[in-house]
Amino acid sequence: MSVTTEHYRLLVIEDEVDIRRAVSAALRDHHPAIIEASTGAAGVGAVDSSRPDLIILDLGLPDIDGIDVCKRIRATTAAPIIVLTARHGESDTVALLNAGADDYITKPFSTQELAARVSAQLRRSRAPRSRYGVILADGLSIDLHRRQASRDDVVIRLTPIEWELLSVLVSDPGRVFTHQQIFAAVWKRSFGDARLYLRVHVTNLRRKIELNPADPRLVITEPGVGYRFILTP
Ligand code: CA
């Protein structure tokens, strides 16, 4: 089977030359068009000049804080950003996702795993995101136009908050939304304990839409970070 991803342009922003070369080498087979940048400023410039389809961004750069670089890139492109991080901890991960990163991978990582993440993000970014279609997942039907969810042709009664919560998550299946991102999108404000609000409503939503709320397959918890919606067949 032929690989149809060859036309994608990838940008690798990493100051450590060995890691930058290893990353490029690992991806070059499937993605020959790879641009490299060794500083945050050069990376932001390359995003503007080369319009890459995906960006791999190292968090530890010599000139600009990686999270700031991430924000600057996100301000100018919707292309997926995968962050390479040596840091640990929930708050960093949350800060990264809030800054617009799509995924992160902690050093040291295998080049196979990186290549798999890159493929997944390219697939995700290419998938149509219909605002008015019908999404089918695990027997659940979500009609975005009519703003209703049903299972076996029986409409599920969702509160407005539960509907908003569900529609935020299904707007980008597979993406991890942070507590703060979901909270801001659903409640249209940024104050309040996002996790607490969400925990209550996610529990209620799962009770209504999941086949087994105790073992959810649709709305998945990312511990300490947020939630994502999975499109199961
Ligand atoms: Ca670095």
Side-chain angles (χ1 to χ4, degrees):
M1 216 175 101
S2 68
V3 177
T4 56
T5 54
E6 288 176 2
H7 59 282
Y8 286 117
R9 209 189 336 248
L10 272 51
L11 170 63
V12 179
I13 309 172
E14 162 69 276
D15 58 317
E16 285 160 76
V17 66
D18 290 348
I19 297 178
R20 195 171 69 236
R21 284 191 183 146
V23 166
S24 296
L27 300 172
R28 191 160 280 130
D29 278 354
H30 287 323
H31 308 286
I34 296 184
I35 307 149
E36 296 184 4
S38 58
T39 64
V44 171
V47 170
D48 282 337
S49 59
S50 305
R51 312 307 302 169
D53 299 290
L54 180 143
I55 298 115
I56 295 168
L57 169 65
D58 178 50
L59 206 54
L61 292 168
D63 57 336
I64 310 173
D65 181 73
I67 290 184
D68 280 341
V69 177
C70 189
K71 285 182 189 162
R72 290 193 203 181
I73 293 172
R74 181 49 78 229
T76 63
T77 178
I81 303 171
I82 300 176
V83 174
L84 307 179
T85 172
R87 302 180 193 179
H88 295 281
E90 293 175 355
S91 59
D92 286 329
T93 308
V94 171
L96 275 174
L97 295 167
N98 281 336
D102 295 273
D103 201 358
Y104 56 94
I105 185 164
T106 306
K107 293 175 181 175
F109 51 85
S110 75
T111 50
Q112 287 97 325
E113 181 171 9
L114 177 66
R117 300 284 187 98
V118 166
S119 298
Q121 287 300 327
L122 287 172
R123 257 199 321 275
R124 196 172 69 77
S125 70
R126 202 174 36 177
R129 288 178 209 171
S130 167
R131 287 174 61 84
Y132 298 105
V134 175
I135 292 168
L136 298 169
D138 200 29
L140 180 75
S141 168
I142 304 163
D143 188 326
L144 297 171
H145 178 59
R146 298 168 72 186
R147 295 172 62 84
Q148 81 186 11
S150 57
R151 189 181 282 285
D152 302 326
D153 292 327
V154 177
V155 172
I156 298 168
R157 289 183 174 278
L158 298 178
T159 66
I161 290 286
E162 288 160 5
W163 171 261
E164 290 300 325
L165 178 54
L166 180 62
S167 59
V168 168
L169 294 173
V170 301
S171 70
D172 201 350
R175 170 177 160 194
V176 180
F177 287 90
T178 66
H179 298 114
Q180 207 55 52
Q181 286 170 333
I182 302 169
F183 185 67
V186 173
W187 279 271
K188 315 281 190 246
R189 59 181 168 90
S190 57
F191 55 90
D193 186 340
R195 290 189 195 205
L196 190 66
Y197 273 83
L198 282 167
R199 194 177 303 137
V200 173
H201 291 282
V202 166
T203 301
N204 292 339
L205 178 62
R206 280 177 174 152
R207 207 173 283 144
K208 295 179 182 180
I209 67 168
E210 298 276 359
L211 282 174
N212 179 5
D215 180 24
R217 293 182 54 179
L218 297 168
V219 177
I220 305 300
T221 300
E222 294 294 327
V225 177
Y227 299 93
R228 73 168 101 201
F229 187 88
I230 301 290
L231 277 183
T232 55

